[in-house]
Amino acid sequence: MSIETQVDEASRVEIFDTTLRDGEQSPGISLNTQEKVEIATQLARLGVDVIEAGFPITSPGDFEAVEAIARTVSGPVVCGLARTQKADIEAVWGAVKDAERPRIHTFISTSDIHIAHQLQTDRADVKGQARAAVAHARELCADVEFSPMDATRADVEFTAEVCAIAVAEGAGVINVPDTVGYTTPEEFTAYLERLYALVPELRSVRLSVHCHDDLGLAVANSFAGVLAGARQVECAINGIGERAGNCSLEEIVMLLRTRRSDHGLDTTVETTELARTSRMVSRFTGYAVQFNKAIVGRNAFAHESGIHQDGVLKERTTYEIMDARDVGLESNSIVLGKHSGRHALKDALHELGFRVEGNALNQAFKAFKALADKKKQVTALDLEAIVSDEMRESEGRYELAWFEVEAGSRRSPLARVGVTTPAGVEATGESGGDGPVDAVFGAIQAAAATECELNQYTVSAVTEGGDALGEVTVMLRAHGRLASGQGVSTDIIEASARAYVRALSNALDGAAVREAESVAADAASSPVPPGP
Amino acid sequence: MSIETQVDEASRVEIFDTTLRDGEQSPGISLNTQEKVEIATQLARLGVDVIEAGFPITSPGDFEAVEAIARTVSGPVVCGLARTQKADIEAVWGAVKDAERPRIHTFISTSDIHIAHQLQTDRADVKGQARAAVAHARELCADVEFSPMDATRADVEFTAEVCAIAVAEGAGVINVPDTVGYTTPEEFTAYLERLYALVPELRSVRLSVHCHDDLGLAVANSFAGVLAGARQVECAINGIGERAGNCSLEEIVMLLRTRRSDHGLDTTVETTELARTSRMVSRFTGYAVQFNKAIVGRNAFAHESGIHQDGVLKERTTYEIMDARDVGLESNSIVLGKHSGRHALKDALHELGFRVEGNALNQAFKAFKALADKKKQVTALDLEAIVSDEMRESEGRYELAWFEVEAGSRRSPLARVGVTTPAGVEATGESGGDGPVDAVFGAIQAAAATECELNQYTVSAVTEGGDALGEVTVMLRAHGRLASGQGVSTDIIEASARAYVRALSNALDGAAVREAESVAADAASSPVPPGP
C-alpha cells in the first residue's frame, strides 16, 4: 500500500531522527539499551536516513546504548552527539565506530546569550572550539555534522563565520537549530537565505534544520527550511524532545509526501510504518499521544458527524487529504484466537517485525495464551503490547511475584504483595492506602524496603472493548532519581503493580549509574548542555 | 503578572474560540449544558473576543446550550453556526438573540469537490444560497460572519465572487477556512493576497482564518493569515476539533504575544488564564493534553538535563522564551489543609473563579474535608478537580451508591455495586471480570440492566505524589451512542466506577435526545455537515 517513493537525489529530504537523543532527554523517560535497540531497529524499518542514538559522554548507559545500536542496526547512518570537547568527540567515535555508516555530530552555541551565560566565554573562543572539534572529528570519522546551537537567536554573520570554519574543516552536514523554538517560517527563510549568501560553500554540503515546538511552529519552520534549501530535517517520533519537543517526524514526512506534487520534494520514509513506530515510542517512553495529534492521534482520521462519514464514504477526498492506510492505520488485520498455535504466533510476530525465538518465544506464547483465554480476539495491537511487555523483563531487578487486594466504598483498602528482589529472594509487604492501587504501591515499597514518591500515573487501553489490555505508566522518584515503568495486563491493578516495580527498578538502576557518574562529573570541566 | 496588553485597534487580532463548536464535534465528547456554560464563563475570563457556542440546528441539546451561554456569559460576542438554510439561521438567532453581542455565522462550501460530492449542486446555486443566507441573517442580526467552506481547495476566483456577495449583503466578518488542513503558510499567504486583490471591499470588513492541523501547520497557517491581514483567528483550547483539530488557541496567542515586538500584532487575551482553561477543557472533554504539547503540556516549561536547569537559574532566557507565570503555570499558591474552614474554602474557590454558594458550597466542603483527611495539602489543582467533579452531579441520572471489590494475582476478581437509578431506587449488581475495574464495570452494567461496550479508559493523576487525586475518563458505547464520563477520587476504583456510571448516563441521555432528533432529521432536506 506504499505510495511511490522514487525521488531524485536533489529533491530528496533526509530524515534525521533524534527520538533517542533529544526525545530521550524528556523528563521521566528512561529507556534501557534493549528498548533503545528495539526503537532503532524500528526506525531502520521506517527508513529514516540517520539515527541520532544518544549523547555518549553523558553516561556509561548512553554510551553502551549508542554502541549497541551501532553494532546491531543496519541501514541508517548511526550518529552520536558531542560538545566540542575532545573527550566528547572521542566518546562518540568509541560508540559509533562499528556502525555501517558512523557519524559524529558536534555542536557549540553561537548566540551571545549562550556564549555569555552558558559557555561563559567569547566569540573568538567559540570559533576556535568549533574549528578544533570538527577537525578532530574528521580525523576519526569521514561523516561529521556541525550545529551552531541557538543559531536563530544568534548574530547571523557570526554564525556564518563559524559555519564557514566547520565546512572548511570538513563537516559534510551543517545543521541550523532553532534551539528554543523562537523563530517563525518567514524569519527562518530569511535567516537561511542570508546564511547561504554569507557562506556560498554551504551549497557544497548538506544543510539541515532542527526546530523546537515551543510556539507550535516546529513543522512549519522545518518545512520553510526545506523550501529554502535544507535537505535534512531533524525530528522525533511523536514530536518528543526538550520542553514542547522537536519537529514531529510523522508530520514533516506526511506534509512532504502529501504536498509533493506542488514542491517536488520528498523523503524515502516507508510511511506505512509510521503508526507502529509511534505506538512503540509512546509505549516505551510512557508519553501518550493526544487524541487530536496530527497523523498518529486516535482522531487524526476520524469523523464524528453524520455527513462527515457520509462524505468520506461517498468520496474520500471530501474531508480527507491522506489515506489512513498510508500511515499504517487500519492495517490491523492480524487476529489470533485461543486455538492459535505457537507457529501462528511466530508468523504473526514476524509479520510485525519482532524477531522472537527460543525462550523469548516461549514466554511470548505463554503470555499470548493467558490473554487469549480472556479475550476472544488477539489483535496485532495486543501482540505488540504483550511482546513489548515481555521484553521488559531482565535479570537482576525487582519483579512482582503475586498480589492480593480488597477495597470498597465502605472499608479501607488493604493490599499484600510478594516481590522477588534482585538477589532472587521473595519479600512480602502489606499496606493500606487511599485506594487499592495506592495500597499496592505501599505494599511494594514495604516489600522492597524503599521509599518512593509517585510522580505520574496514567492508564490507557490498548484496544477498544471491555476485555482490552490496560497499559499503565508509572513515573516515580526514588533515591533522587525520576524514572518510569510500564505494565500491561487485562487487570489494571496487576498492570499498575508491574509498572511500579519496573519504575522502581529503573530508578534504582539509574541511581547506581548516577553514583558512578558523579565521579566523572566532578572531573569534567563543565556540566553537559542539552544539545541543539 | 500579566504582560502589557495595550494594542491599537488596527493591530489587535481577535480570538474566536470554537472549542464548544468544532472542538465539541470530536468523537466521544459529550458536554452537557452546565459544562458548556462553565467553559464559556472561563473563556470570557480568558478574554476571548468571540465564543462559537454551538451549531443549534443539530440538536435540541445544542440549541439549549447556546441559548444558556447567550443568556449567562457577558463580555465576548456569542455566536452560533448555521448552514445557508433558513431554518439553520433562525435556529441560531433563536439561541443567541439574548446575548449582549449576538452573531450569526453561516457557511457554504466553494470547492468543486464539496459542491459536487457533498452539496450535489452547482456554483450558481452556491452563490444564490450564500446571498440569501447572509441577507436573511442580516435581517435578524447586525453581526453576521460568512465562511466559504474548504476555501483553500477551491478556485480562488469563484471563492472571491462568493465572498463579494457576502460582503455586499452585509457580512461584517469573512472567514477563510482551511477545512481539511491542506494548505501551507506561503500558499495561504498567496491565497489571501489574491483574495484581497479580487475583492478590495474585503478591506472594509474583518478577515478571519480557520485552520485545521492535519499536516501540523494550523498555527503557522493562522499566523500567515494574520500577517496577510486577517484580524480574527478561529481556534480552540488545546487545539481540539475535527480530526487533528483546530489551531490551538494558546499557541497562536502566545506566538503573537512573544513575537509582538517584531510584528506589532497582539490579542487582548489574559494569558495567565491559559493553563486553567486548558485544564478545564481537558477535564470536561476527557481529552488529555500530551506532555510535549506547546504552552500547556506538562513539559512545555520543563528542563531535564542538569545544565538546562542551571542555565535557566542563571539566566532564564538561556533556554526559555516565555515565562511559565505568564500562561498561569506556577501560580499554584493556594494550599489548604484539614483544619481549613468553610470560609477559607469559599475564598479559595472564589480566587479560582468558581461561584459556589449554598448547597453547592456544602457539597464542595464535604468533598474537600474528605480529601483533606487523605492528603496533607489540598492545592488549587485539587480544588479545581473536586469542584468540577461535584458539578457533574445532576438530577434524574444513574449514580454510584457504593461498591466492593476483591482481586489478586491468584484468584478471579469479584465486584459488587449499588447504583441509584434515575427513578431514585437502589439497584445492585455483581460481576467477575478480567480485573477489578472490569468486574466493577460488569457489576454496574448488571445493576443498570444495560449493555455497554467500553471504548476508551484513561487515568491520570491531578497532582504529583502518592496521595494524589486520580482522574478517570471512560468512553463507552451504549444504545449506539458514544459518550464519556469522568470521575475523581484518591481511589482509582471509585473514580473509575463514578466515571463509568456518568458515561452510561450521558450515553442514555444522548440516545434519548437522538431518538427525538431522528424525527427532525428525517424531515430535513440534507444531513448536517461538520462546518468549516
Side-chain angles (χ1 to χ4, degrees):
Chain A
M1 296 307 304
S2 171
I3 303 171
E4 176 63 57
T5 54
Q6 291 300 315
V7 55
D8 67 76
E9 205 42 45
S11 307
R12 194 167 89 80
V13 177
E14 295 204 342
I15 292 296
F16 175 111
D17 179 276
T18 187
T19 305
L20 296 173
R21 204 277 302 163
D22 204 326
E24 216 258 350
Q25 285 175 211
S26 307
I29 297 185
S30 54
L31 300 170
N32 61 35
T33 295
Q34 189 184 9
E35 290 163 343
K36 288 184 184 173
V37 169
E38 198 65 27
I39 289 174
T41 304
Q42 176 60 28
L43 290 171
R45 201 179 290 132
L46 177 66
V48 306
D49 299 282
V50 185
I51 294 172
E52 186 162 59
F55 197 165
I57 195 74
T58 59
S59 78
D62 232 49
F63 182 96
E64 180 196 300
V66 176
E67 185 179 52
I69 290 167
R71 290 178 177 173
T72 323
V73 177
S74 76
V77 170
V78 176
C79 167
L81 185 66
R83 288 172 299 181
T84 47
Q85 274 90 325
K86 211 163 172 227
D88 283 46
I89 291 165
E90 285 170 2
V92 170
W93 180 242
V96 301
K97 66 180 188 304
D98 295 336
E100 280 176 8
R101 297 155 67 205
R103 176 182 294 180
I104 298 173
H105 178 195
T106 185
F107 73 98
I108 190 164
S109 290
T110 56
S111 73
D112 291 329
I113 184 168
H114 276 206
I115 294 172
H117 295 285
Q118 189 215 305
L119 298 171
Q120 300 180 328
T121 184
D122 58 30
R123 287 185 175 193
D125 181 50
V126 166
K127 287 204 271 189
Q129 286 195 42
R131 183 186 307 278
V134 174
H136 185 49
R138 277 294 271 119
E139 283 164 17
L140 301 169
C141 183
D143 186 354
V144 172
E145 171 170 339
F146 173 76
S147 294
M149 179 150 101
D150 203 24
T152 52
R153 290 197 302 175
D155 174 10
V156 66
E157 298 188 353
F158 175 64
T159 303
E161 284 180 58
V162 178
C163 290
I165 289 169
V167 174
E169 295 297 334
V173 181
I174 298 293
N175 174 55
V176 183
D178 181 32
T179 303
V180 293
Y182 185 70
T183 199
T184 62
E186 85 287 6
E187 193 180 83
F188 200 37
T189 303
Y191 187 96
L192 296 175
E193 283 170 357
R194 181 94 177 105
L195 207 59
Y196 270 127
L198 291 165
V199 193
E201 55 269 42
L202 269 184
R203 300 270 171 206
S204 67
V205 301
R206 188 175 288 272
L207 186 70
S208 169
V209 290
H210 177 114
C211 300
H212 279 272
D213 203 37
D214 297 72
L215 294 173
L217 295 174
V219 175
N221 288 336
S222 302
F223 183 57
V226 169
L227 295 182
R231 286 297 175 271
Q232 176 180 287
V233 174
E234 302 199 359
C235 46
I237 299 294
N238 301 338
I240 62 173
E242 290 277 347
R243 304 179 314 279
N246 287 277
C247 173
S248 158
L249 184 147
E250 57 277 13
E251 294 177 16
I252 187 70
V253 164
M254 289 309 293
L255 167 58
L256 290 170
R257 184 67 46 90
T258 305
R259 302 306 310 269
R260 173 182 167 158
S261 61
D262 298 285
H263 300 292
L265 302 165
D266 204 354
T267 72
T268 49
V269 163
E270 176 50 56
T271 60
T272 57
E273 292 289 335
L274 285 171
R276 189 195 308 177
T277 315
S278 166
R279 288 194 298 269
M280 178 185 281
V281 169
S282 173
R283 173 169 293 136
F284 287 3
T285 58
Y287 271 49
V289 170
Q290 66 196 18
F291 293 173
N292 53 313
K293 165 83 170 66
I295 314 296
V296 295
R298 172 192 155 111
N299 293 359
F301 292 87
H303 301 278
E304 170 78 325
S305 36
I307 178 69
H308 232 159
Q309 287 173 347
D310 191 48
V312 172
L313 289 179
K314 264 194 224 131
E315 171 57 44
R316 192 183 61 76
T317 54
T318 312
Y319 290 101
E320 283 196 355
I321 57 173
M322 293 168 279
D323 188 329
R325 288 169 297 188
D326 289 332
V327 303
L329 291 167
E330 303 184 10
S331 66
N332 193 356
S333 58
I334 296 169
V335 178
L336 302 177
K338 63 192 296 184
H339 302 297
S340 304
R342 192 177 303 253
H343 198 74
L345 176 67
K346 193 177 166 182
D347 284 354
L349 291 176
H350 186 78
E351 196 178 321
L352 290 172
F354 290 108
R355 297 152 305 167
V356 179
E357 305 282 347
N359 193 44
L361 181 61
N362 289 343
Q363 284 294 326
F365 189 66
K366 225 173 90 183
F368 161 69
K369 276 301 194 189
L371 180 61
D373 275 346
K374 293 177 181 169
K375 284 196 70 168
K376 276 181 302 228
Q377 298 191 324
V378 177
T379 67
L381 293 180
D382 292 321
L383 291 180
E384 272 181 30
I386 59 176
V387 172
S388 304
D389 194 53
E390 288 302 319
M391 279 176 43
R392 290 173 178 273
E393 296 302 347
S394 55
E395 303 295 308
R397 294 160 57 87
Y398 287 95
E399 276 184 43
L400 181 73
W402 56 265
F403 73 94
E404 291 164 8
V405 65
E406 293 162 32
S409 53
R410 302 182 288 200
R411 55 158 295 172
S412 292
L414 181 70
R416 279 177 293 270
V417 305
V419 167
T420 311
T421 69
V425 187
E426 184 174 307
T428 59
E430 182 175 307
S431 176
D434 291 333
V437 171
D438 187 44
V440 166
F441 291 174
I444 292 169
Q445 291 183 64
T450 304
E451 284 206 14
C452 316
E453 186 193 329
L454 186 67
N455 189 270
Q456 185 81 20
Y457 173 74
T458 55
V459 185
S460 58
V462 173
T463 53
E464 300 186 354
D467 54 3
L469 283 172
E471 190 157 14
V472 173
T473 301
V474 164
M475 206 178 282
L476 55 74
R477 192 180 293 277
H479 293 232
R481 175 87 184 178
L482 194 64
S484 68
Q486 287 78 39
V488 175
S489 171
T490 54
D491 176 346
I492 187 177
I493 306 271
E494 183 182 348
S496 301
R498 292 174 72 170
Y500 195 87
V501 169
R502 285 172 186 161
L504 178 62
S505 287
N506 287 339
L508 297 181
D509 282 4
V513 168
R514 213 165 65 143
E515 209 155 306
E517 283 164 29
S518 67
V519 181
D522 286 346
S525 58
S526 66
V528 179
Chain B
M1 294 305 303
S2 172
I3 303 170
E4 176 63 55
T5 54
Q6 291 300 315
V7 54
D8 67 78
E9 204 42 45
S11 306
R12 195 167 87 82
V13 178
E14 294 203 343
I15 292 298
F16 176 112
D17 179 276
T18 187
T19 305
L20 296 173
R21 203 279 300 164
D22 204 325
E24 215 261 348
Q25 285 174 210
S26 307
I29 297 185
S30 54
L31 300 170
N32 61 36
T33 295
Q34 189 185 9
E35 291 162 344
K36 288 183 185 173
V37 169
E38 197 64 28
I39 289 173
T41 304
Q42 176 60 28
L43 290 170
R45 201 179 291 132
L46 178 65
V48 306
D49 300 283
V50 186
I51 294 172
E52 186 162 60
F55 197 165
I57 194 75
T58 59
S59 78
D62 234 48
F63 183 96
E64 180 196 300
V66 176
E67 187 180 51
I69 290 167
R71 290 178 177 172
T72 323
V73 177
S74 76
V77 169
V78 176
C79 166
L81 186 65
R83 288 171 299 181
T84 47
Q85 274 90 325
K86 211 165 171 224
D88 285 46
I89 291 164
E90 286 170 359
V92 171
W93 181 242
V96 302
K97 66 179 188 303
D98 294 336
E100 280 177 7
R101 297 155 65 205
R103 176 183 295 180
I104 298 173
H105 178 195
T106 185
F107 72 98
I108 191 164
S109 290
T110 56
S111 74
D112 291 330
I113 186 169
H114 276 206
I115 294 172
H117 295 286
Q118 189 217 304
L119 298 171
Q120 301 181 325
T121 186
D122 58 30
R123 288 184 172 193
D125 181 49
V126 166
K127 289 204 270 188
Q129 286 195 43
R131 183 185 306 278
V134 174
H136 185 49
R138 277 293 271 120
E139 284 165 15
L140 301 169
C141 183
D143 186 356
V144 173
E145 170 169 339
F146 173 77
S147 293
M149 178 149 101
D150 204 23
T152 52
R153 291 195 303 172
D155 175 9
V156 66
E157 298 189 351
F158 175 65
T159 303
E161 284 181 57
V162 178
C163 290
I165 289 169
V167 174
E169 294 297 335
V173 181
I174 299 292
N175 174 55
V176 183
D178 182 32
T179 303
V180 295
Y182 185 70
T183 201
T184 61
E186 84 288 7
E187 194 180 83
F188 199 39
T189 303
Y191 187 96
L192 295 175
E193 283 170 356
R194 181 94 178 105
L195 206 60
Y196 270 127
L198 291 165
V199 192
E201 55 270 41
L202 269 184
R203 301 269 170 206
S204 67
V205 300
R206 187 173 288 272
L207 187 71
S208 168
V209 290
H210 177 115
C211 300
H212 279 272
D213 203 38
D214 297 73
L215 295 173
L217 296 174
V219 175
N221 288 336
S222 301
F223 184 57
V226 168
L227 295 182
R231 287 296 176 272
Q232 176 180 287
V233 174
E234 302 200 359
C235 47
I237 298 293
N238 300 338
I240 62 173
E242 291 276 347
R243 304 180 315 279
N246 289 276
C247 173
S248 159
L249 183 147
E250 57 277 14
E251 294 177 15
I252 188 70
V253 164
M254 288 309 293
L255 167 58
L256 290 170
R257 183 67 47 91
T258 305
R259 301 308 309 269
R260 174 182 166 158
S261 60
D262 299 285
H263 300 292
L265 301 165
D266 203 353
T267 71
T268 48
V269 164
E270 176 49 57
T271 61
T272 56
E273 291 289 333
L274 285 170
R276 188 196 308 177
T277 315
S278 167
R279 289 194 298 269
M280 179 185 280
V281 169
S282 173
R283 174 169 292 138
F284 287 2
T285 59
Y287 271 48
V289 170
Q290 65 196 17
F291 293 173
N292 53 314
K293 164 84 171 65
I295 314 295
V296 294
R298 174 192 155 107
N299 293 359
F301 291 88
H303 300 277
E304 172 77 326
S305 36
I307 177 67
H308 231 159
Q309 288 173 347
D310 191 48
V312 172
L313 289 179
K314 264 197 225 128
E315 171 58 46
R316 192 183 61 76
T317 54
T318 313
Y319 290 102
E320 283 195 357
I321 56 172
M322 292 169 278
D323 188 329
R325 288 168 297 185
D326 288 333
V327 303
L329 291 165
E330 303 184 9
S331 67
N332 194 354
S333 58
I334 296 169
V335 178
L336 301 179
K338 61 192 300 183
H339 301 299
S340 304
R342 192 178 302 253
H343 197 74
L345 176 68
K346 193 178 166 182
D347 283 354
L349 291 176
H350 186 79
E351 195 177 322
L352 290 171
F354 291 107
R355 296 153 307 167
V356 180
E357 304 283 345
N359 194 42
L361 180 61
N362 289 341
Q363 285 294 325
F365 188 66
K366 226 174 90 184
F368 160 70
K369 275 300 192 189
L371 180 61
D373 274 347
K374 294 178 180 168
K375 284 195 72 166
K376 274 181 302 225
Q377 297 191 322
V378 177
T379 68
L381 294 179
D382 292 320
L383 291 180
E384 270 182 32
I386 58 175
V387 172
S388 305
D389 195 54
E390 287 304 317
M391 279 175 43
R392 291 173 176 272
E393 297 301 349
S394 53
E395 301 296 307
R397 295 160 56 89
Y398 287 96
E399 277 183 43
L400 181 73
W402 55 267
F403 73 95
E404 291 165 8
V405 65
E406 292 162 30
S409 54
R410 303 182 287 199
R411 56 158 296 171
S412 292
L414 182 69
R416 278 177 294 270
V417 305
V419 167
T420 310
T421 69
V425 188
E426 183 175 306
T428 60
E430 181 175 311
S431 176
D434 292 333
V437 172
D438 187 44
V440 166
F441 290 173
I444 292 169
Q445 290 183 66
T450 305
E451 286 207 10
C452 316
E453 187 193 327
L454 185 67
N455 188 272
Q456 185 80 20
Y457 173 73
T458 54
V459 185
S460 57
V462 173
T463 53
E464 300 185 354
D467 54 2
L469 283 172
E471 188 155 17
V472 172
T473 301
V474 163
M475 205 179 283
L476 55 73
R477 191 179 294 279
H479 294 231
R481 175 87 185 180
L482 194 64
S484 67
Q486 288 78 40
V488 175
S489 171
T490 55
D491 176 347
I492 188 177
I493 307 270
E494 183 182 348
S496 301
R498 292 174 73 170
Y500 195 87
V501 169
R502 284 171 187 163
L504 177 63
S505 286
N506 287 339
L508 298 181
D509 282 2
V513 168
R514 211 164 66 144
E515 210 154 305
E517 284 164 28
S518 68
V519 181
D522 286 348
S525 57
S526 64
V528 179

